[in-house]
Amino acid sequence: MTAIRLPARAGLEERVGRRWLVLLAVAAAAILWVVFRGQMTLPHNDDAPIFRSLLGVREWAEDNRQTLAPLREGIGGLIDVFDEIIASLGWPGVIGLFTAIGVGFGGLRVGLLAFLGMTALGLMGLWDASMQTLSMILAAVVLSLLIGLPLGILAGRSNRLSAFLSPILDVMQILPTLGYLPLVTAFFFIGGPPGVVATLIYAIPPAVRITSLGMRGVPRTTVEAAAAYGATSRQILTKVQLPLAWRAIALGINQTIMLSLSMVIIAGLIGAPGLGRLVLNALSKTQIGTSFQVGLAIVILAIVLDRVTFAIGERLDPRSRADAASRQDRRALRWGVAAAILVAGLAAPFLIDAVTFPDAIRLSLAEPVDTVATWVTDTISPATHDFEAWVATYILNPLDTILLDAPWWLVAAATVGLAWFLSGRRPAVIAAVCLGGIIVLSLWDHSMRTLANVLVGTSITLAIGGALGVATARNARLRAVVRPILDAAQTLPPFVYLLPALLLFGPNRFTGIVAAVIFSIPPVIRLVEVGIRAVPATVVEAATASGATARQLLWKVQLPMSLQALLLAANQGLVMVLSMVVVAALVGAGALGYDVITGFARGEQFGKGLAAGVAIVLLGIMLDRITQGAGGRRRAATVRAG
Amino acid sequence: MRENRLARWAGGIAMVAVLVAGCARSAGSTPTPSAGGGGASQSAAAASASAGASQVAEVTCKGAGDKGTVKMMVNQWVGAEANVAVAQCLLQQMGWKVETSTLAEEPAWQGFDTGEVDVILENWGHPELEKHYIQDTKLATDAGPMGVTGIIGWYVPAWMLDQYPDLADWHNLNNHVDLFKTPESGDKGQFLGSDPTFVQYDEALITNLGLNFKVVFSGSEAASITAFQNADKNKTPLIGYFYDPQWLHNEIKLTQIKLPPYTPGCDADLKKVACDYPPYTLNKIVRTEWLNSSGDAATFIKNFKWRNEDQNEVADLLTNKKLSGEDAAKQWITEHPEIWQPWMP
């Protein structure tokens, strides 16, 4: 009999009692708010002593930079190696190589995609910049994997190492790069190497985590069986665990590449050459069309690398060795074609100029995009500005007032209480510790402002993402249309839609929220869709057979049964919005994000910038633990039917 | 298992082929990927003919000889790109190779220490960096003014002064608080601050001048620019931090509000400042070691000097006319020999 998960329902008396308690708590909080309004609000002090002491960290880094000089030389050398290889291949060679790999490992479709993608980069006039970015990405990925894969394998076998690494990896991924970027430049100066280092810090965690997960996914019985047959530890690793974990490892490699690409623009801020730099240039000239075109180039590069590495991963997967006989012929054909393409690409430089991509044809999306953008903004910008003013006045400002006019202890107590109610004791303790940390960092005022923005942003993301997720779950055609848009939206650098957002809404908190929402919606849509579609078809049929309408089906059956997925969607939406806090400050969101970019821009403010980055991490951990644990109270009790 | 080996051999041969081809190619010719600023790839070809473009009808940014490399830093604004575009073109004509890197101001000065940056053509103040790098460690040298005067101040779209002429004097700002109120500024009028990279002390000014305004930071230059563009187009009120030279002035009209005039020393304590921003004599900073060892390039840089309107003209070509750095430089060089010829050593 199938076991069906239903949310556990507490007893009737318990539920009623809890409701009264909640009402009482809310009433008490409201009264205290009115009574103590405006007192003990911990207003922002730009000269807080802790900022000055954190500044010392950077000075220490600058004094000690010589120790890391060899590392810098090494990374610079690695980038140069890739530069040289790409330069000697020339554009026909690079296109030929990618196409050949695509055809060889993935067949005609992947090869065609690779060919079209790489050629498009050249046709848009972005070949040189794309190759500079490619060198940097390759260097970063190689180093990430060199460090991350072994660590992941070790973490997969050792619980202690895994527990030790987990918070470190968390921080590496959540701490805003701009917060610690001055430290990176203090040690590694400017140019390609610090760009690679900043990318490493962001891209190693998925390599470690996913590899570790893959290792742990190998069934214990299989490992024991191998041991029983007399396999040594090394043999178990190389012949059993790695092959079986290959899928996960391939995914880890793929994620490392994707995350490295998302760091391209930040690397541009510290002088790394390539596409990131071009986006920043276009932004400073407020050229929407150019920034969109370069952003598109980054997306194309991401898609090509993604599909090609995915194909390699699939083809090398030991588990799919069970090939039908007919595949043998196709394999020979594929590799034959691949070899021919490769030879053509390598031979071409002897016949034509392989250094500069020919400019006979040029694809320019910049002008049409500019025209459309100008027309749209001219038409609707008065209306969008009014809308922004309305949201800011009736939603953002009241929320700010509630959080900021209240004494700090009231807000802290309410948050801890809410955490306890929603998720249990441990998240409540973590919430208390994080809030305490924020107070110690002298960033209470700005953190509350950022919290307000994040809450509004997350709510909007979940509302729209949830609705769209439900829609795509139920409509296959919509799904097919939306999927490529979501793919592109997830890889398009957020910097690209900053300009349109600014033109429509002006520089303020709302615009920052809009940028964060656009960035965070795709994963929410995906998770909600997956969750709803995972509800067993039998249950859906039973419900419709019993006469449920479409609405009842959704609200009474599908949503409750996909609760875990919905909570995960909420959690991910929150984390993604939080990760946009710094970028949002570039369009007027202020608060912690602005502190971080100030710390990066002005040396004497580095302490405040780093402190703000840590405060963002603390908020992130607190909100993450609360939303992750929110399902705990109502965790499904498995009910066996029949 | 046969397929395994076949695939592996094919892959191995492919890899070897790539490496062999790579070595053969790099032994043959030397392509030069350069770190280009602004989008167009610039390569100084070693062999082409023309030097000294003033007599030739077709201006080109290539020159004969290979005297070495000049590493120029391009600030993240268009005016700086204009400076570098023209300087790069002329230096290349003289036979130098130019590498550009675009950086924020702080990291750029660090380049004087490592040798990654030789020249910053446009420096706005930064007394703390000048003290450390020029006076204390002598890693950098002030190469004189570049001729442009930087003006920072409080600007409003010009239409506001037509409608509210008394805005021209800061004393009357408090009478128009309602005009400038936004949801971001609550009960006070909004003053739009800018990118944190820029030197700003408007919060102190507002407090010390007793104005009922609140500074809201736009966060980036692009944000401030779009705000002023919108204020001009849709006739919405806006007052904010802005500056000249900036390409926006070629597109819309912005007028500066008069604050108490600057007197030397009035900005000594940035908490008590109550006067307008000083006019900045923008200067050139060069790496001391480079200055002493780079012959005519160093002389050229020391001579480089042009006016606000010259820089604005090239900046306009770069933004509104969407020319590449090289094309904009060629056009300006063709049209203004009287300005750049005195720079040549």
Side-chain angles (χ1 to χ4, degrees):
Chain A
M1 286 288 162
T2 41
I4 303 174
R5 292 178 148 244
L6 288 174
R9 305 298 248 145
L12 184 62
E13 282 162 10
E14 212 181 297
R15 266 188 290 151
V16 169
R18 202 189 285 166
R19 274 196 198 150
W20 274 113
L21 195 62
V22 169
L23 281 174
L24 203 59
V26 172
I31 294 173
L32 285 170
W33 191 89
V34 171
V35 167
F36 286 102
R37 178 176 182 173
Q39 304 172 29
M40 292 179 274
T41 56
L42 298 180
H44 181 74
N45 172 16
D46 234 17
D47 285 322
I50 194 162
F51 300 156
R52 257 172 286 137
S53 28
L54 284 174
L55 189 55
V57 174
R58 183 188 180 194
E59 281 154 17
W60 171 86
E62 277 181 5
D63 292 335
N64 287 299
R65 54 163 53 134
Q66 282 311 103
T67 45
L68 286 179
L71 192 58
R72 176 169 189 265
E73 298 299 313
I75 297 179
L78 186 59
I79 301 178
D80 287 339
V81 164
F82 285 114
D83 270 337
E84 272 301 310
I85 295 179
I86 291 177
S88 0
L89 283 174
W91 62 266
V94 171
I95 297 183
L97 184 61
F98 271 91
T99 314
I101 295 180
V103 167
F105 284 101
L108 199 59
R109 194 181 286 175
V110 177
L112 193 62
L113 177 75
F115 177 75
L116 288 176
M118 300 305 283
T119 313
L121 292 177
L123 290 177
M124 289 198 284
L126 295 170
W127 184 260
D128 289 334
S130 302
M131 291 303 109
Q132 286 165 340
T133 297
L134 187 61
S135 299
M136 212 188 61
I137 297 285
L138 288 175
V141 168
V142 161
L143 288 173
S144 301
L145 296 178
L146 270 179
I147 302 175
L149 283 183
L151 264 183
I153 293 175
L154 288 174
R157 300 162 92 188
S158 158
N159 281 338
R160 206 192 274 174
L161 183 63
S162 178
F164 171 72
L165 282 177
S166 186
I168 299 179
L169 296 176
D170 267 338
V171 169
M172 280 164 82
Q173 282 205 278
I174 313 182
L175 189 62
T177 313
L178 281 175
Y180 60 80
L181 206 53
L183 274 181
V184 174
T185 52
F187 275 122
F188 295 97
F189 297 118
I190 50 188
V196 168
V197 171
T199 308
L200 276 182
I201 297 178
Y202 193 59
I204 286 182
V208 174
R209 282 215 152 109
I210 300 180
T211 306
S212 169
L213 198 65
M215 294 286 293
R216 285 163 190 275
V218 175
R220 176 163 279 177
T221 46
T222 315
V223 175
E224 282 171 8
Y229 273 102
T232 64
S233 200
R234 166 174 288 189
Q235 283 172 325
I236 293 182
L237 178 65
T238 52
K239 305 266 184 218
V240 177
Q241 287 178 308
L242 282 183
L244 286 179
W246 175 250
R247 278 251 165 86
I249 294 177
L251 179 63
I253 296 176
N254 177 275
Q255 283 299 295
T256 303
I257 296 179
M258 292 299 110
L259 286 183
S260 301
L261 269 165
S262 68
M263 286 290 288
V264 159
I265 297 190
I266 294 196
L269 276 177
I270 48 176
L275 295 171
R277 186 70 255 155
L278 293 184
V279 172
L280 292 171
N281 276 351
L283 283 181
S284 76
K285 297 187 194 124
T286 63
Q287 289 173 338
I288 294 192
T290 312
S291 74
F292 178 76
Q293 173 144 315
V294 181
L296 192 62
I298 297 179
V299 171
I300 291 176
L301 199 54
I303 292 179
V304 168
L305 285 173
D306 178 48
R307 296 283 187 265
V308 166
T309 52
F310 185 71
I312 299 179
E314 285 281 280
R315 199 58 66 183
L316 294 181
D317 185 358
R319 276 203 245 214
S320 60
R321 285 304 187 204
D323 277 337
S326 63
R327 290 244 201 139
Q328 276 193 10
D329 306 326
R330 274 198 268 150
R331 176 161 296 192
L333 179 65
R334 275 205 326 269
W335 281 107
V337 172
I341 295 175
L342 184 60
V343 168
L346 294 175
F350 297 101
L351 305 167
I352 58 176
D353 170 24
V355 172
T356 325
F357 200 91
D359 54 6
I361 321 170
R362 274 287 180 261
L363 277 180
S364 177
L365 293 168
E367 282 182 29
V369 170
D370 271 332
T371 318
V372 169
T374 316
W375 178 84
V376 168
T377 42
D378 284 348
T379 320
I380 67 174
S381 83
T384 50
H385 276 84
D386 287 341
F387 178 66
E388 178 272 318
W390 185 91
V391 171
T393 312
Y394 294 109
I395 301 183
L396 288 174
N397 282 349
L399 189 54
D400 268 358
T401 313
I402 293 178
L403 287 176
L404 290 167
D405 278 4
W408 65 268
W409 46 263
L410 182 58
V411 176
T415 312
V416 173
L418 190 66
W420 194 316
F421 174 69
L422 280 180
S423 315
R425 191 175 309 153
R426 193 128 180 269
V429 170
I430 292 179
V433 168
C434 288
L435 290 174
I438 288 176
I439 295 179
V440 165
L441 288 170
S442 309
L443 284 168
W444 179 262
D445 181 285
H446 285 188
S447 299
M448 287 302 112
R449 291 178 196 276
T450 296
L451 183 61
N453 294 345
V454 167
L455 288 175
V456 172
T458 311
S459 312
I460 299 179
T461 304
L462 294 179
I464 302 181
L468 280 176
V470 166
T472 53
R474 303 165 92 188
N475 183 333
R477 202 181 289 170
L478 185 62
R479 222 169 21 241
V481 166
V482 164
R483 174 152 293 173
I485 301 180
L486 287 187
D487 268 339
Q490 281 203 273
T491 30
L492 193 66
F495 281 75
V496 170
Y497 37 86
L498 289 183
L499 270 182
L502 277 174
L503 287 172
L504 290 176
F505 304 108
N508 47 60
R509 291 162 296 173
F510 181 71
T511 312
I513 290 175
V514 165
V517 165
I518 297 177
F519 181 67
S520 312
I521 280 190
V524 170
I525 295 181
R526 281 231 157 95
L527 285 167
V528 169
E529 176 201 316
V530 164
I532 292 190
R533 290 180 64 205
V535 173
T538 46
V539 174
V540 174
E541 279 168 25
T544 39
S546 323
T549 63
R551 170 176 283 197
Q552 284 172 327
L553 178 64
L554 178 67
W555 288 99
K556 304 272 182 202
V557 177
Q558 288 176 309
L559 286 180
M561 289 191 65
S562 51
L563 187 64
Q564 292 296 358
L566 294 180
L567 286 172
L568 182 62
N571 173 273
Q572 284 301 291
L574 183 64
V575 168
M576 304 275 286
V577 167
L578 203 62
S579 71
M580 281 286 284
V581 163
V582 172
V583 174
L586 292 171
V587 291
L592 290 179
Y594 189 76
D595 291 333
V596 171
I597 59 182
T598 308
F600 172 68
R602 312 207 67 82
E604 71 275 13
Q605 303 272 18
F606 167 73
K608 184 169 78 170
L610 187 61
V614 174
I616 293 178
V617 173
L618 290 176
L619 274 182
I621 293 177
M622 178 180 90
L623 292 169
D624 175 64
R625 296 291 181 261
I626 294 178
T627 49
Q628 263 192 25
R633 288 259 150 151
R634 301 211 257 136
R635 184 143 298 161
T638 311
V639 174
R640 299 214 171 268
Chain B
M1 294 307 136
R2 273 187 58 223
E3 312 90 67
N4 257 0
R5 224 184 296 155
L6 185 62
R8 256 186 258 156
W9 272 103
I13 292 177
M15 288 299 132
V16 171
V18 167
L19 287 170
V20 167
C23 295
R25 291 283 309 137
S26 58
S29 67
T30 47
T32 48
S34 62
S41 75
Q42 328 243 14
S43 45
S48 41
S50 65
S54 52
Q55 280 77 40
V56 199
E58 164 71 39
V59 168
T60 159
C61 288
K62 302 193 201 321
D66 185 10
K67 299 182 183 167
T69 309
V70 182
K71 300 196 193 111
M72 299 186 83
M73 190 279 263
V74 191
N75 306 71
Q76 279 158 198
W77 52 84
V78 179
E81 278 182 51
N83 301 333
V84 172
V86 170
Q88 178 168 10
C89 188
L90 290 170
L91 275 170
Q92 282 171 189
Q93 282 181 9
M94 285 162 55
W96 289 86
K97 186 158 168 282
V98 178
E99 274 176 26
T100 59
S101 60
T102 312
L103 298 165
E105 293 174 280
E106 277 256 357
W109 283 74
Q110 292 181 25
F112 291 136
D113 196 349
T114 60
E116 299 221 353
V117 172
D118 296 322
V119 178
I120 299 180
L121 274 181
E122 181 173 313
N123 175 55
W124 286 65
H126 289 293
E128 72 288 354
L129 288 171
E130 288 189 335
K131 179 175 186 304
H132 178 78
Y133 285 93
I134 298 184
Q135 282 149 26
D136 292 345
T137 58
K138 308 229 188 315
L139 288 165
T141 308
D142 184 338
M146 43 106 39
V148 172
T149 308
I151 300 181
I152 298 179
W154 291 13
Y155 283 80
V156 295
W159 68 261
M160 290 201 78
L161 282 181
D162 296 333
Q163 212 170 322
Y164 308 95
D166 63 336
L167 271 181
D169 188 328
W170 67 271
H171 289 98
N172 301 321
L173 280 174
N174 272 344
N175 302 342
H176 295 283
V177 167
D178 283 339
L179 196 58
F180 292 107
K181 259 192 223 179
T182 68
E184 308 296 297
S185 62
D187 300 331
K188 308 191 179 186
Q190 173 186 284
F191 180 91
L192 192 66
S194 188
D195 187 322
T197 328
F198 305 149
V199 173
Q200 301 170 65
Y201 38 85
D202 310 300
E203 284 165 315
L205 277 172
I206 285 173
T207 313
N208 297 333
L209 292 175
L211 295 172
N212 199 8
F213 277 73
K214 178 178 168 190
V215 176
V216 172
F217 289 98
S218 73
S220 58
E221 193 188 18
S224 284
I225 289 175
T226 51
F228 276 108
Q229 285 172 329
N230 179 63
D232 177 74
K233 186 193 305 184
N234 293 338
K235 301 286 181 281
T236 52
L238 179 66
I239 180 170
Y241 172 101
F242 212 66
Y243 32 89
D244 196 350
Q246 219 286 343
W247 59 264
L248 190 60
H249 294 288
N250 289 25
E251 200 180 278
I252 65 179
K253 235 179 141 322
L254 299 174
T255 320
Q256 198 177 353
I257 301 276
K258 287 201 197 343
L259 295 178
Y262 173 78
T263 53
C266 74
D267 59 347
D269 183 349
L270 285 182
K271 296 225 191 329
K272 301 209 180 70
V273 61
C275 57
D276 210 341
Y277 288 86
Y280 286 85
T281 308
L282 304 184
N283 55 351
K284 302 166 283 194
I285 315 285
V286 297
R287 191 162 66 91
T288 313
E289 248 182 74
W290 178 87
L291 184 69
N292 297 335
S293 61
S294 302
D296 57 356
T299 314
F300 171 82
I301 294 291
K302 282 196 282 197
N303 293 344
F304 181 94
K305 199 165 169 170
W306 61 356
R307 306 159 302 174
N308 284 47
E309 51 259 45
D310 300 317
Q311 192 196 75
N312 276 346
E313 191 182 326
V314 180
D316 187 51
L317 293 176
L318 290 172
T319 39
N320 300 326
K321 309 285 184 304
K322 298 212 172 96
L323 291 182
S324 73
E326 190 171 332
D327 291 336
K330 283 192 217 171
Q331 183 173 325
W332 186 85
I333 287 174
T334 316
E335 292 171 6
H336 296 278
E338 75 284 359
I339 302 186
W340 59 263
Q341 278 181 356
W343 303 339
M344 307 306 273

